[in-house]
């Protein structure tokens, strides 16, 4: 480390220690002035972020790590940047706005350094150092935002899939899964997991998979249905597919898909009647039983 860089670090560290409140206030003020939020984060939360990041900068600078690695080599400082970015991601801010919010700290730091020295060369060296330091922080916040946002989207997609494939108890030991939309591999997995768990919890004997809301059935969809049926049978339950409309029946026949081993019905009501018959057997006059 050169003598000039060591002097810059010492000057900046001193400013962070002695003028931490002033720097935090200025940083918050800049974000509010420049509308670098993109979310409904409160001023108190902004101040909390500022205090955490400024406090973490001091040990980061004192670590002696090269300026380009101060942020990434110090766990406390890196965590402060990550927390800030994740909070903005959850709030719906864009990654660009989040990065610019971090970079706005440059001006607040440089203003604090100006109170330490008026020497042009020292100020220039400090500005270069601060830029290199916070450019890394801005890049880290951008990267963290993107990764965090992708994780949030994946989690929300998973939650939506679970909500869109509810398992409903229709009758004693009879469950139903009404499917709406395309049945792909990921959704098939969710359907199977939820249905098999419900079969175990309710000691169900029949599971109805209703495809009334499935727009089309191709070879892939039929394969997914077969996987679900086989999994249900392995749990010791029977499976009925309902909602087989004329157009779907025609498509299945044209594709040569063999569903002969699966009990199918045109409507959910017909499927329920068949399920009750499977459980209770025919009534005394040959009608389906209705015991609950």
């Amino acid at each position: 480390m050169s003598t000039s860089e060591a002097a810059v670090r010492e000057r900046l560290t001193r400013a962070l220690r002695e003028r931490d409140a002033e720097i935090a206030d200025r940083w918050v003020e800049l974000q509010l002035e420049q509308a670098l939020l993109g979310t409904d984060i409160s001023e108190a939360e902004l101040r909390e972020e500022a205090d955490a990041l400024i406090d973490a900068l001091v040990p980061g600078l004192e670590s002696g790590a090269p300026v380009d690695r101060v942020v990434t080599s110090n766990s406390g400082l890196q965590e402060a940047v990550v927390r800030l970015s994740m909070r903005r991601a959850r709030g719906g801010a864009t990654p660009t706005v989040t990065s610019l919010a971090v970079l706005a700290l440059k001006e607040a730091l440089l203003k604090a350094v100006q109170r330490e020295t008026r020497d042009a060369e020292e100020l220039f060296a400090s500005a270069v150092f601060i830029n290199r330091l916070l450019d890394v922080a801005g890049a880290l916040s951008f990267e963290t935002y993107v990764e965090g946002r992708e994780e949030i989207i994946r989690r929300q997609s998973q939650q939506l899939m679970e909500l869109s494939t509810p398992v409903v108890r229709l009758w004693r030991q009879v469950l139903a899964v009404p499917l709406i939309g395309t049945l792909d591999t990921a959704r098939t997995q969710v359907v199977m997991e939820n249905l098999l768990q419900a079969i175990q919890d309710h000691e169900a004997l029949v599971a109805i998979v209703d495809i009334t809301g499935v727009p089309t059935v191709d070879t892939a969809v039929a394969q997914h249905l077969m996987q679900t049926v086989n999994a249900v049978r392995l749990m010791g339950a029977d499976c009925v597919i309902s909602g087989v409309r004329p157009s779907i029946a025609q498509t299945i026949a044209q594709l040569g898909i063999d569903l002969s081993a699966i009990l199918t019905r045109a409507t959910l009501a017909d499927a329920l009647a068949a399920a009750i018959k499977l459980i209770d057997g025919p009534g005394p006059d040959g009608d389906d039983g209705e015991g609950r």
Side-chain angles (χ1 to χ4, degrees), residues 10-221:
E10 182 180 352
R11 189 179 304 112
L12 183 56
T13 301
R14 185 168 59 251
L16 286 166
R17 287 186 182 279
E18 298 177 357
R19 305 181 186 278
D20 54 342
E22 176 186 325
I23 294 170
D25 288 342
R26 181 54 181 161
W27 188 26
V28 170
E29 182 182 339
L30 286 169
Q31 292 181 78
L32 293 173
E33 286 178 356
Q34 299 173 19
L36 296 176
L37 302 180
T39 179
D40 58 355
I41 185 171
S42 66
E43 187 171 343
E45 289 173 320
L46 286 176
R47 181 56 190 260
E48 179 185 337
E49 289 177 351
D51 290 340
L53 189 54
I54 290 169
D55 288 344
L57 274 170
V58 173
L61 290 171
E62 292 178 336
S63 67
V67 60
D68 297 329
R69 292 170 50 195
V70 167
V71 175
T72 55
S73 64
N74 183 276
S75 59
L77 181 53
Q78 185 172 1
E79 184 180 349
V81 175
V82 168
R83 280 202 307 266
L84 181 151
S85 186
M86 288 300 296
R87 174 180 283 179
R88 303 300 175 90
R90 287 191 292 269
T94 67
T96 300
V97 166
T98 301
S99 296
L100 289 175
V102 174
L103 297 178
L105 180 56
K106 291 180 179 182
E107 182 178 332
L109 285 178
L110 191 56
K111 184 175 181 180
V113 171
Q114 284 178 324
R115 296 184 182 276
E116 300 289 326
T117 179
R118 290 291 180 177
D119 183 270
E121 290 187 5
E122 292 179 353
L123 286 175
F124 177 77
S126 298
V128 171
F129 185 91
I130 290 171
N131 275 327
R132 293 175 63 188
L133 173 69
L134 292 182
D135 281 347
V136 176
L140 175 61
S141 70
F142 189 96
E143 180 183 349
T144 301
Y145 178 100
V146 173
E147 292 177 353
R149 196 64 178 168
E150 288 177 352
E151 176 59 29
I152 291 171
I153 292 172
R154 283 194 296 269
R155 187 164 60 248
Q156 290 176 339
S157 297
Q158 178 71 15
Q159 292 170 346
L160 286 173
M161 278 199 296
E162 292 176 356
L163 289 173
S164 65
T165 54
V167 180
V168 183
R169 184 175 181 271
L170 295 182
W171 202 266
R172 173 177 55 86
Q173 297 179 305
V174 178
L175 302 175
V177 180
L179 299 178
I180 300 175
T182 303
L183 188 64
D184 56 18
T185 302
R187 194 168 179 214
T188 299
Q189 186 65 31
V190 173
V191 170
M192 281 198 290
E193 290 176 358
N194 292 347
L195 182 54
L196 297 182
Q197 185 61 51
I199 289 173
Q200 178 178 318
D201 294 343
H202 296 282
E203 298 181 349
L205 296 179
V206 181
I208 300 173
V209 179
D210 183 68
I211 61 172
T212 303
V214 176
T216 58
V217 174
D218 54 19
T219 304
V221 172

